[in-house]
Amino acid sequence: MPSPNPGSLAWLLRHDVRLGWRDFRAGFGSLGSRSLGGLVLAVVGIMHAAVWGLADEVGTLAADPATRPEALGLALPAAGFVLLLMLAQTLNGATKLLYARGDLDLLLSSPASPPRVLGARAAAVALGAFTSAALFVLPVADAAALAGHGRLLALYPTLAGGALLAAALGLAGTLALFRIVGPRRARLAAQVLATFVGAGFVIVLQLRRLLPGLLPQAGPAPGGWAEAAMLLPVRAGLGDADALLLWCGGGLAAFAVAARLLGPAFAGSVQAAAGAAGPAPRSGTSRGRGGAFPSGPLPALRRKEWRLIARDPWVVSQVLLQILYMTPLIALLWSGSGDPALALAPMVAVVTFQVSSSLTWLGLSGEDAPDLLASCPAPAPALRRGKVQAVGCVTLGIVALPLAWLAWTSPAVAAATSAIAAIGLAAAVTLQMWHGQPGRRSSFAARHRESKVMALVEMALSVLFGVAAALAAFGSLWTLAPLALVGVLVAALRPRRTRVPA
Amino acid sequence: MTATVPALALRGLRKGFGPGRPAVDGLDLVVPAGAFYALLGPNGAGKTTTLRMVAGLLRPDAGHIAIHGIDAVADSRAAKSITAWLPDDPLLYDKLTPIEYLGFVGGLWSVPPDRARRGAEALLERLGLADHRDQRCEGFSRGMKQKVALAGALVHEPRLLILDEPLTGLDAGAARTVKAILGECVASGATVILTTHILEVAERLASRIGIIRRGRLAAEGTVAELQAAGGGSLEEAFLSLTGSDRDGA
């Protein structure tokens, strides 16, 4: 294959794709290219197998949506979900583009055209969003096509059009935030917005279940142009040629306009973001807040950890969002069982594990002044203990209210949940001590970039703790089964040589 | 008796990072108490590795480190309690203010809060940071961060102060202030050991100079002694003793 001309859009895009692929590979440690390729193929195969049973039904349902209104009832939320997820991803991608500039200084100081550089990078953001969504969406298209419903292959270009549109909106949204709240706050605002956009759809769906009178129910769309606009990606995905052309053309046009018109503004913002590290703003002052640090390494360390957590809006927002993400599960369990204890117990277990995992990373691996602590007159194990105590107190503070409520209504469930939560905290600390990747506190959001395996393990453990607590709330002895699996999983991850972060 | 105990005594110190020649290879060094000692050497000579071992950040593969007579490996807690370490790129907590950072460092070294606060305020005033004492460090320039970190190293009044390239990133005025403060530390009885690539700094400030080459002490003495050994200026002595003149550096 001929190599694209240096400096061309294709050449720059290839550069970005190569960097993205190497970043992805780095998350799997020493796994070789062939093994990683095999793993990716296996995951793709599993995704296809998972939807195979539904392929014919989906294809039949989609064959004539005009006579099958339930098809739209299913496809519309699915399309909304996928598009919002892609928008969340492009908002994140555009924020990284602005702040984690990487080689942008080099590229923008080269003779390459800045709009072309930023166009390539924006295309890489769109490609990232497309790839993430493709893993879940395209197996449906493939399986349906194999089952004789080839029209659903239209999902490929529909998804591409959606990714381009999401990239355009992501760029515009991030730039708008940059202008409205300024370079210092835009990063946090965009990341929080991205998380809310990603979670918002699920939360709205659950609120509709819980509060049927408050929010409009799914059903016929508002009518007129709004209905046509909402149904456009659905019709495109189901193979309507006109809709497909309009959707993909619209996405491409939006992307081209955004890259062309916003490119210069983006280049300026990149430099402004770099220059945002000037003197601290007045809002960054903290006269007399929090009191003096006590004498003694451990009390001083605990207070330092609490103060840093409380002052980091990004960490606070992430912790709150972890709780927010639990809302759908709580709502589902509550409405399904009618027993609030059955909803609260898994929530406490999962939140404890997730929050303590995040905060333990901050404490043990995200230490900003490791040399200072290593040179202070306190043994390293004592310092680690102080940090774990600080994290434990914060986590306990977060789950104290639901735990107290459980203790009031069903003490046995509260006791079992507390025990599971304590195991969760211990597992989080253990994994962090074994596998925590040291990094700057500011890289909290990207702490899993170095190890995708650990991200998956944390996800699996969250599920296991949630299941264990739910079974405990039922009073079932089977609660020991997921806990045993937790033990096996953690033991399997024991390193040959224990590595303790400084 | 106490007066004869050196501030730092290294015997046969050795540290390697994987196969190949160790970074520090059997280093013997004695720094008298109350000295202003400059450790010089070309890049990769083992200066920072040596100081990180003295500060208790790295464990030596072999050898002995004594800080004011305390075995720094066997009783690291006691040794650390009288030592301060300032790395060349000090990292602070962005969300703490300088006064809070110094309070935290005071807490780590078990300095009573009132005393830590008084010392912190005096140091910030001296370093020209009094106006920034309640601003979080996140927007500070490198030079300002360097000054806050230096204040942190001094707030618990260490007897041995170890500094790795302490003047990096400082403007001329700040560098002058820092040099004056370090001179005062020595005058008050503390020992200062620093590394620097600026030979003029060593020449003007240091009472004794050690030159390290390939993890070993190549030469040691006063400026005059080294100049005599090198046959001219300190620069010529440094270049001939480290072999840098043969590299065309």
Side-chain angles (χ1 to χ4, degrees), chain A residues 278 284 286 296 311 367-368 374, chain B residues 80 91 93 95 100 107 134 136 139:
Chain A
S286 304
R311 283 188 187 168
E367 172 58 53
D368 276 348
Chain B
K80 285 176 176 179
L91 298 168
Y93 300 102
K95 302 290 178 193
E100 288 175 330
D134 293 315
R136 293 182 195 167

Side-chain angles (χ1 to χ4, degrees), chain A residues 70-469:
Chain A
E70 67 269 33
L72 291 182
L74 285 171
L76 196 58
F81 180 64
V82 170
L83 287 174
L84 282 175
L85 273 185
M86 285 201 294
L87 179 58
Q89 190 155 358
T90 56
L91 275 167
N92 262 326
T95 311
K96 278 184 202 158
L97 185 52
L98 268 179
Y99 289 92
R101 295 168 306 141
D103 57 352
L104 261 189
D105 274 355
L106 172 69
L107 293 172
L108 291 176
S109 66
S110 76
S113 137
R116 196 176 289 168
V117 168
L118 292 161
R121 206 133 280 195
V125 168
L127 187 62
F130 174 85
T131 312
S132 303
L135 186 64
F136 301 98
V137 175
L138 297 186
V140 177
D142 294 340
L146 286 173
H149 305 282
R151 281 165 63 94
L152 278 178
L153 285 176
L155 281 170
Y156 275 85
T158 303
L159 199 61
L164 288 170
L165 181 63
L169 292 174
L171 287 174
T174 309
L175 264 187
L177 280 175
F178 200 84
R179 293 292 154 90
I180 294 167
V181 301
R184 284 185 184 284
R185 297 187 185 88
R187 182 183 204 165
L188 175 69
Q191 286 168 330
V192 171
L193 177 67
T195 316
F196 269 105
V197 165
F201 190 80
V202 178
I203 292 164
V204 168
L205 278 187
Q206 291 304 326
L207 285 177
R208 289 169 87 125
R209 284 169 56 94
L210 284 177
L211 309 165
L214 197 66
L215 294 164
Q217 293 299 292
W225 66 268
E227 178 182 358
M230 281 172 68
L231 290 179
L232 185 62
V234 175
R235 285 173 41 218
L238 296 180
D240 180 326
D242 293 341
L244 188 61
L245 197 64
L246 195 58
W247 175 252
C248 292
L252 192 60
F255 179 81
V257 168
R260 184 78 193 166
L261 294 185
L262 302 180
F266 218 87
S269 300
V270 166
Q271 300 310 319
R282 287 191 68 80
S283 58
T285 61
S286 304
R287 182 183 290 274
R289 279 189 221 158
F293 281 92
S295 181
L298 259 64
L301 190 62
R302 279 195 295 268
R303 186 165 297 186
K304 184 268 286 183
E305 293 297 332
W306 291 330
R307 196 167 292 183
L308 291 186
I309 290 169
R311 283 188 187 168
D312 197 330
W314 173 237
V315 170
V316 172
S317 70
Q318 286 302 295
V319 169
L320 292 177
L321 285 169
Q322 280 178 328
I323 298 167
L324 192 65
Y325 275 133
M326 291 298 297
T327 314
L329 177 64
I330 297 168
L332 203 65
L333 289 170
W334 196 327
S335 61
S337 67
D339 181 2
L342 198 62
L344 285 179
M347 187 275 266
V348 167
V350 174
V351 166
T352 300
F353 176 71
Q354 289 191 342
V355 170
S356 54
S357 292
S358 302
L359 298 185
T360 310
W361 181 88
L362 277 179
L364 294 179
S365 302
E367 172 58 53
D368 276 348
D371 272 13
L372 175 70
L373 295 189
S375 64
C376 86
L383 293 175
R384 280 198 297 277
R385 202 166 53 244
K387 290 186 167 200
V388 171
Q389 285 168 357
V391 168
C393 287
V394 174
T395 311
L396 185 64
I398 289 170
V399 297
L401 203 60
L403 259 185
W405 193 88
L406 276 178
W408 179 259
T409 54
S410 41
V413 175
T417 306
S418 300
I420 293 168
I423 296 170
L425 176 63
V429 171
T430 305
L431 288 177
Q432 198 53 240
M433 285 176 65
W434 284 348
H435 299 287
Q437 297 288 331
R440 290 280 287 163
R441 203 178 179 85
S442 52
S443 58
F444 171 69
R447 67 191 184 284
H448 284 136
R449 187 179 292 168
E450 296 298 318
S451 175
K452 302 277 187 288
V453 176
M454 283 311 297
L456 292 172
V457 166
E458 279 187 18
M459 208 184 294
L461 289 179
S462 294
V463 172
L464 288 172
F465 282 120
V467 171

Side-chain angles (χ1 to χ4, degrees), chain A residues 48-69:
Chain A
H48 279 78
V51 299
W52 181 252
L54 299 170
D56 193 44
E57 200 172 336
V58 170
T60 308
L61 206 58
D64 188 9
T67 58
R68 303 287 298 272

Side-chain angles (χ1 to χ4, degrees), chain A residues 2-12 14 116:
Chain A
S3 183
N5 288 333
S8 66
L9 189 69
W11 185 84
L12 289 165
R14 194 181 71 164
R116 196 176 289 168

Side-chain angles (χ1 to χ4, degrees), chain B residues 13-237:
Chain B
L13 197 64
R14 186 183 169 89
K15 181 71 188 177
F17 299 98
R21 187 174 55 80
V24 177
D25 192 8
L27 178 65
D28 294 308
L29 179 70
V30 175
V31 178
F36 197 129
Y37 199 96
L39 205 52
L40 307 180
N43 292 332
K47 304 182 297 294
T48 300
T49 304
T50 301
L51 295 190
R52 289 179 74 83
M53 284 190 281
V54 174
L57 276 74
L58 283 175
R59 199 177 175 85
D61 294 338
H64 183 77
I65 303 170
I67 296 174
H68 283 285
I70 301 166
D71 186 330
V73 177
D75 193 359
S76 64
R77 197 169 172 176
K80 285 176 176 179
S81 66
I82 55 169
T83 308
W85 159 249
L86 183 69
D88 61 339
D89 185 16
L91 298 168
L92 304 178
Y93 300 102
D94 286 349
K95 302 290 178 193
L96 293 188
T97 66
I99 196 79
E100 288 175 330
Y101 175 75
L102 300 186
F104 172 59
V105 176
L108 287 178
W109 265 263
S110 301
V111 180
D114 284 349
R115 206 179 104 203
R117 188 164 190 92
R118 280 197 304 277
E121 284 174 351
L123 282 165
L124 293 178
E125 181 74 40
R126 186 73 205 280
L127 286 161
L129 289 170
D131 290 344
H132 303 281
R133 47 168 275 167
D134 293 315
Q135 285 182 344
R136 293 182 195 167
C137 298
E138 54 200 344
F140 283 10
S141 66
R142 185 192 157 98
M144 288 166 79
K145 286 183 176 176
Q146 183 84 358
K147 286 195 275 187
V148 174
L150 176 66
L154 296 170
V155 77
H156 54 95
E157 298 171 8
R159 291 175 65 192
L160 174 62
L161 190 54
I162 309 163
L163 311 105
D164 194 10
E165 298 285 352
L167 303 179
T168 306
L170 296 182
D171 58 42
R176 187 174 183 166
T177 308
V178 168
K179 285 186 272 187
I181 289 175
L182 295 180
E184 286 165 21
C185 287
V186 173
S188 67
T191 306
V192 172
I193 303 176
L194 59 76
T195 66
T196 180
H197 282 110
I198 309 167
L199 296 183
E200 288 78 9
V201 170
E203 197 164 4
R204 283 184 55 196
L205 294 178
S207 54
R208 295 189 74 79
I209 293 173
I211 296 178
I212 294 187
R213 181 177 180 234
R214 295 186 177 177
R216 291 184 177 192
L217 193 65
E220 204 267 349
T222 62
V223 174
E225 287 167 355
L226 290 174
Q227 283 172 338
S233 66
L234 179 63
E235 186 181 35
E236 285 165 350

Side-chain angles (χ1 to χ4, degrees), chain B residues 228-249:
Chain B
S233 66
L234 179 63
E235 186 181 35
E236 285 165 350
F238 176 82
L239 292 175
S240 73
L241 287 165
T242 57
S244 303
D245 52 348
R246 292 189 293 278
D247 300 337

